[in-house]
Amino acid sequence: MGIIFQGKDKIFHLQAGDTSYCIQIEREGYLAHLYWGKRIQQFNGSNPILYVKRGFSPCPNPMDVTFSLDTLPQEYPAYGNTDFRTPAFQIQVENGSTITDLRYKSHHIYDGKPKLHGLPATYVEEDSEAETLEIYLEDSLIGLSVTLIYSVFKHLNVITRSVRFKNNGSERLILLRVLSANVDFRDDQFDLLTLYGAHNNERNIVRRQIVPGNQSIESRRGASSHQQNPFFAMLRPNANEEEGEVYGFSLVYSGNFLAQVEVDQFHTARASMGLNPFDFTWILEPTESFQAPEVVMVYSDAGLGGMSRTYHELFRTRLCRGLYRDLVRPILINNWEATYMKFTAEKLVDMAKTAKEMGIELFVLDDGWFGKRDNDKSSLGDWVVDKRKLPNGLGDLAKKINQIGLEFGLWFEPEMISVDSNLYRTHPDWCLHVPNRGRSEGRNQLVLDLSREEVCEYIIHAISTILESAPITYVKWDMNRHMTEVGSQGLPSGRQRETAHRYMLGLYKVLEEITSRFPYILFESCSGGGGRFDPGMLYYMPQTWTSDNTDAISRLKIQYGTSIVYPAITMGAHVSAVPNHQVHRVTSLAIRGEVAMGGDFGYELDVTKLSEKQRNEIKQQVTLYKNIRHIVQFGLFFRLLDPFIGNEASWMFVTEDQSEAIVSYFKVLAEPNAPLKRLKLKGLNPKFPYKCLETGRVFGGDELMYAGIGLPMLKGDFTCVFLWFKRVDSLEG
Ligand code: DGJ
């Protein structure tokens, strides 16, 4: 178990959970990829690389005409010396050449998993949880040393990869391309699954067959983005939700990324992922190092569901950090859709009082409490309370809310600046911009230049001052536009293309500082909803506002798509008013509640305007969620019916000991003469008897999973069924 170096064959055999990953030091010191898949006891070379002479595949050694990098499955391919496929990295040296030639130098295997300097990454709590292999490669001509870092989690099918570059030479190197992981699969029999979307419509699932040539997704927006999530999976064509081989790749980074799969002339597939090389360069002076972000690679032979559950467990327990990682999350009420920016202290207190009567635990004051922010045209950057709206200040409001019996939370958008702000009037050069060019606004705002130390210091100081001024136990950290005119006045001309990555490093520094200064605060990240729902942000903030779209029917797809990688405990999900503010659909409180209970539950509507009947219904929802949240937030997640392919959706959660489960079934549109529905459950123990708390009936886990449970005939559009099962002593009940 762990990492073995088979010296005779020069094979590194990495074992993670039920997975093996094998690398060989090949002829001339090149690193070849041998195998990644189901665990093998000992790799004895049953899967050797065959050397054959191929036309138009040149050879680095003219004496060895069967050996070409063009045909070698490689671990970290370079550019310029016989491999014509996409390189994992590219470097320019002072004479203008962009050719490199990396050879094996040495390696080191050790217990534990290293931190990545300045970057978020998965971690271990005990060194015994993981083992790490560092392979040192060198291009001796230019003094470049490259460290490939692999960590294997012993009890999970997870291998993480990252790369560190060091300039050991005497001349300046320019990094043009630095991907973090490259896997040369030995064939091309795969489908590619990615998560695409838009604002209000995040993480739709698309699956396509890979074809010869390049297929890629990327972000050039300065954020991981609503448009493409930094994730992809390669699935064997027969793989489905429960069966078949799936290979997942997830980048722990929140900025520009590239993920691509290239099928070459020999029908092999090269999968690679990392920082987007588009508009990126990085100057590496002698003695300097550059650390690339981490890619989390998951293997599953139990289909997509198996892959998702591995990501869920890893991200919930070894990516998210802090006090709230292991705590149930509070049920919150957020005033955004209730009041937008038009509120008074009295109104907020009234909302909190009603929320308390319904059992809600946390009140969140959203945008509009600072500067002179009556609309989105001003005040970002001026983190000073607006005394017109809150005459007695934030401390007083927070205390009142606390006295009512709720915790108090606050919204910020720290990375932004409004042109109409004191901050901009004082520091017009603090935003990302290019001299003499226009400054394009998005949502009437500009992006602060977090590649600059003084800007980061300002944010840390301004946000900390507010957080120290009142009993605040929750923060929503928003970010509402993407980057344009990407340039920094803090960097010389040769380093302008470092700006976007330096921004991310600045942001991570700020987040590290603020989250460690205020360890008792629950942080939720947000970017116009789920525009930065990525592992990088989850490292600092253990939950994310999943989407600005709170419509229950839209949320079926959004939450289902998000669940491909991210666990329910990371997904903020709220009940909002109808007609829904984003899509104007009218749905019942019941379905809005049940959909939102698939994540970190909350409300986002004016509770003071509800009828008594509605308040009672909410009271019941809140009580129910308090009773089941340990199952949703810490249980195993199973997708049952896919909303992307039908009129229905269904998912379920099962506690780790399989003693409790909850099932949600949703039907979008009513059907005339609909077939009778049986729903087959998953993840239960076939030997356990379970009582359905809604009907009082007892069934064996085997019956529920193999024969399924009959669902009632549903009438009308947008309907749902909720079932809660508890293990009982016998099938007699
Ligand atoms: C976008 C967020 O996603 C919303 O929930 C809300 O906080 C607004 N910003 C406030 O401006």
Side-chain angles (χ1 to χ4, degrees):
M1 193 53 138
I3 300 172
I4 304 148
F5 181 59
Q6 300 169 204
K8 186 165 83 46
D9 300 321
K10 297 191 190 149
I11 289 176
F12 297 102
H13 186 165
L14 288 66
Q15 294 177 326
D18 294 326
T19 311
S20 282
Y21 185 102
C22 300
I23 305 163
Q24 189 163 30
I25 307 167
E26 261 297 332
R27 295 181 196 179
E28 324 262 349
Y30 292 109
L31 275 192
H33 175 76
L34 296 183
Y35 174 75
W36 179 24
K38 205 165 168 57
R39 188 157 163 225
I40 292 166
Q41 287 301 317
Q42 183 173 313
F43 194 88
N44 276 349
S46 61
N47 186 14
I49 295 157
L50 293 178
Y51 296 101
V52 277
K53 189 177 164 201
R54 303 266 201 187
F56 287 85
S57 290
C59 313
N61 178 355
M63 305 304 289
D64 190 357
V65 293
T66 61
F67 185 74
S68 169
L69 298 178
D70 202 28
T71 59
L72 186 75
Q74 294 192 72
E75 274 303 304
Y76 200 63
Y79 166 72
N81 59 345
T82 77
D83 188 350
F84 294 106
R85 293 166 292 176
T86 313
F89 72 101
Q90 196 182 6
I91 285 175
Q92 186 176 336
V93 296
E94 278 179 6
N95 70 7
S97 160
T98 57
I99 293 163
T100 41
D101 191 4
L102 285 183
R103 309 290 178 104
Y104 170 84
K105 187 97 174 81
S106 61
H107 70 269
H108 178 40
I109 296 170
Y110 55 92
D111 285 341
K113 182 173 189 299
K115 286 190 167 177
L116 301 188
H117 181 71
L119 287 167
T122 55
Y123 60 90
V124 290
E125 287 198 329
E126 305 283 340
D127 278 353
S128 57
E129 292 172 17
E131 241 178 275
T132 296
L133 163 68
E134 296 195 358
I135 304 181
Y136 309 110
L137 307 171
E138 193 180 69
D139 182 332
S140 51
L141 184 72
I142 59 172
L144 169 69
S145 108
V146 173
T147 307
L148 305 184
I149 308 165
Y150 302 79
S151 294
V152 299
F153 280 82
K154 291 203 181 147
H155 301 296
L156 286 171
N157 290 0
V158 174
I159 300 174
T160 61
R161 282 190 64 172
S162 67
V163 186
R164 194 170 51 241
F165 283 70
K166 180 147 195 249
N167 184 349
N168 286 326
S170 53
E171 43 173 282
R172 163 185 276 203
L173 303 177
I174 304 176
L175 311 184
L176 303 175
R177 178 185 186 89
V178 186
L179 299 186
S180 299
N182 180 95
V183 178
D184 279 359
F185 290 96
R186 306 285 291 272
D187 65 86
D188 64 351
Q189 294 305 296
F190 291 103
D191 290 344
L192 174 66
L193 184 143
T194 56
L195 303 172
Y196 75 95
H199 178 225
N200 280 333
N201 186 18
E202 296 91 339
R203 288 168 296 286
N204 292 278
I205 300 172
V206 58
R207 179 175 177 166
R208 55 192 141 147
Q209 189 190 346
I210 58 169
V211 294
N214 247 326
Q215 32 259 292
S216 66
I217 55 161
E218 65 183 315
S219 168
R220 276 176 261 117
R221 295 173 165 265
S224 51
S225 87
H226 310 81
Q227 287 71 17
Q228 297 288 352
N229 199 259
F231 163 81
F232 70 101
M234 309 226 346
L235 296 86
R236 291 296 180 187
N238 65 351
N240 57 30
E241 187 60 31
E242 291 91 32
E243 288 163 350
E245 290 191 295
V246 179
Y247 299 81
F249 297 77
S250 166
L251 184 68
V252 188
Y253 190 62
S254 315
N256 296 338
F257 73 92
L258 172 70
Q260 70 178 47
V261 179
E262 181 179 8
V263 176
D264 74 355
Q265 56 182 332
F266 308 118
H267 292 280
T268 70
R270 168 168 288 179
S272 50
M273 187 175 219
L275 294 175
N276 198 338
F278 178 83
D279 204 25
F280 165 85
T281 59
W282 192 277
I283 295 175
L284 208 58
E285 299 289 358
T287 75
E288 283 182 355
S289 296
F290 180 87
Q291 175 65 57
E294 172 169 289
V295 174
V296 178
M297 308 195 317
V298 168
Y299 169 77
S300 160
D301 64 350
L304 209 50
M307 181 208 72
S308 296
R309 282 184 290 282
T310 303
Y311 274 118
H312 292 180
E313 186 177 344
L314 180 77
F315 286 178
R316 181 173 66 77
T317 63
R318 291 295 180 265
L319 174 70
C320 295
R321 301 177 300 166
L323 182 65
Y324 282 90
R325 185 190 73 180
D326 302 324
L327 291 184
V328 288
R329 305 293 163 79
I331 301 174
L332 67 80
I333 180 146
N334 178 306
N335 75 312
W336 178 241
E337 289 197 16
T339 65
Y340 292 101
M341 295 183 204
K342 207 167 168 201
F343 55 79
T344 60
E346 290 70 40
K347 175 74 199 170
L348 302 177
V349 168
D350 275 357
M351 279 182 68
K353 277 186 190 150
T354 316
K356 174 65 188 172
E357 284 162 19
M358 299 185 304
I360 292 171
E361 299 159 313
L362 163 70
F363 181 89
V364 179
L365 172 54
D366 211 281
D367 195 354
W369 58 266
F370 54 93
K372 294 200 164 45
R373 191 145 165 102
D374 294 331
N375 53 48
D376 61 19
K377 293 196 170 67
S378 86
S379 303
L380 291 171
D382 296 346
W383 300 108
V384 181
V385 69
D386 182 349
K387 290 280 176 91
R388 298 168 311 156
K389 292 181 193 170
L390 305 175
N392 300 321
L394 271 178
D396 181 72
L397 175 67
K399 264 182 228 142
K400 286 195 173 118
I401 303 261
N402 286 170
Q403 277 157 9
I404 292 165
L406 272 76
E407 298 285 312
F408 181 70
L410 197 60
W411 177 98
F412 292 92
E413 195 177 0
E415 299 159 65
M416 297 292 151
I417 181 166
S418 305
V419 171
D420 182 6
S421 68
N422 291 334
L423 186 66
Y424 190 78
R425 283 182 278 276
T426 321
H427 296 288
D429 61 325
W430 272 16
C431 63
L432 292 177
H433 69 283
V434 175
N436 305 321
R437 289 228 174 259
R439 299 174 180 196
S440 307
E441 294 183 15
R443 208 201 185 200
N444 305 301
Q445 63 201 49
L446 300 168
V447 184
L448 277 171
D449 179 1
L450 272 72
S451 73
R452 293 176 70 165
E453 186 87 34
E454 61 274 41
V455 174
C456 294
E457 288 306 321
Y458 170 78
I459 294 175
I460 292 169
H461 173 74
I463 304 306
S464 299
T465 306
I466 294 289
L467 295 182
E468 279 156 5
S469 74
I472 295 165
T473 56
Y474 165 102
V475 162
K476 180 173 172 189
W477 185 290
D478 207 347
M479 190 272 200
N480 283 306
R481 65 157 292 182
H482 291 147
M483 295 178 188
T484 55
E485 290 94 25
V486 182
S488 171
Q489 293 323 290
L491 292 170
S493 60
R495 289 189 182 269
Q496 285 301 309
R497 295 172 86 180
E498 298 177 10
T499 307
H501 182 55
R502 284 189 183 275
Y503 177 102
M504 295 315 310
L505 297 178
L507 173 63
Y508 290 147
K509 219 168 111 189
V510 168
L511 297 181
E512 184 67 38
E513 179 64 33
I514 291 187
T515 53
S516 24
R517 270 193 204 184
F518 303 95
Y520 56 85
I521 291 182
L522 169 60
F523 288 87
E524 174 157 346
S525 88
C526 172
S527 174
R532 243 182 1 193
F533 205 136
D534 61 60
M537 292 307 287
L538 286 176
Y539 179 73
Y540 302 98
M541 307 193 167
Q543 59 189 62
T544 303
W545 180 223
T546 311
S547 176
D548 273 353
N549 188 343
T550 52
D551 167 56
I553 302 305
S554 309
R555 276 290 185 126
L556 292 176
K557 286 185 181 164
I558 295 170
Q559 292 175 202
Y560 191 97
T562 304
S563 81
I564 295 288
V565 198
Y566 307 100
I569 196 171
T570 62
M571 291 187 215
H574 303 168
V575 172
S576 61
V578 288
N580 172 267
H581 292 199
Q582 292 77 38
V583 299
H584 306 282
R585 196 176 350 243
V586 176
T587 54
S588 68
L589 193 48
I591 196 169
R592 280 178 275 151
E594 193 168 333
V595 174
M597 284 190 212
D600 294 324
F601 191 55
Y603 290 84
E604 185 136 352
L605 75 178
D606 190 347
V607 278
T608 64
K609 290 190 180 145
L610 299 176
S611 67
E612 203 176 324
K613 187 165 166 265
Q614 288 168 322
R615 287 188 204 188
N616 281 334
E617 196 174 339
I618 292 187
K619 220 185 245 178
Q620 283 168 19
Q621 289 180 342
V622 168
T623 308
L624 174 63
Y625 189 73
K626 283 181 183 167
N627 288 326
I628 60 163
R629 67 179 146 185
H630 64 286
I631 318 178
V632 174
Q633 297 177 5
F634 301 101
L636 301 177
F637 179 75
F638 296 85
R639 289 179 289 264
L640 304 184
L641 295 172
D642 182 348
F644 290 94
I645 52 178
N647 185 32
E648 305 161 299
S650 180
W651 52 62
M652 68 181 285
F653 298 89
V654 184
T655 53
E656 222 170 308
D657 65 2
Q658 296 174 306
S659 65
E660 273 188 281
I662 55 162
V663 180
S664 285
Y665 168 82
F666 308 96
K667 182 156 181 175
V668 178
L669 293 178
E671 276 175 282
N673 260 328
L676 295 175
K677 184 83 200 172
R678 289 195 77 76
L679 186 65
K680 291 188 181 176
L681 308 191
K682 293 181 191 171
L684 301 173
N685 189 316
K687 295 199 180 115
F688 288 178
Y690 292 93
K691 182 173 190 171
C692 175
L693 302 191
E694 281 65 38
T695 62
R697 296 194 56 191
V698 176
F699 307 90
D702 49 2
E703 183 183 336
L704 292 170
M705 292 194 291
Y706 312 147
I709 185 154
L711 295 180
M713 285 298 276
L714 297 169
K715 297 207 174 84
D717 294 341
F718 318 133
T719 46
C720 57
V721 176
F722 173 82
L723 299 168
W724 181 5
F725 294 92
K726 269 194 179 177
R727 182 185 178 184
V728 286
D729 290 337
S730 78
L731 279 171
E732 315 327 311

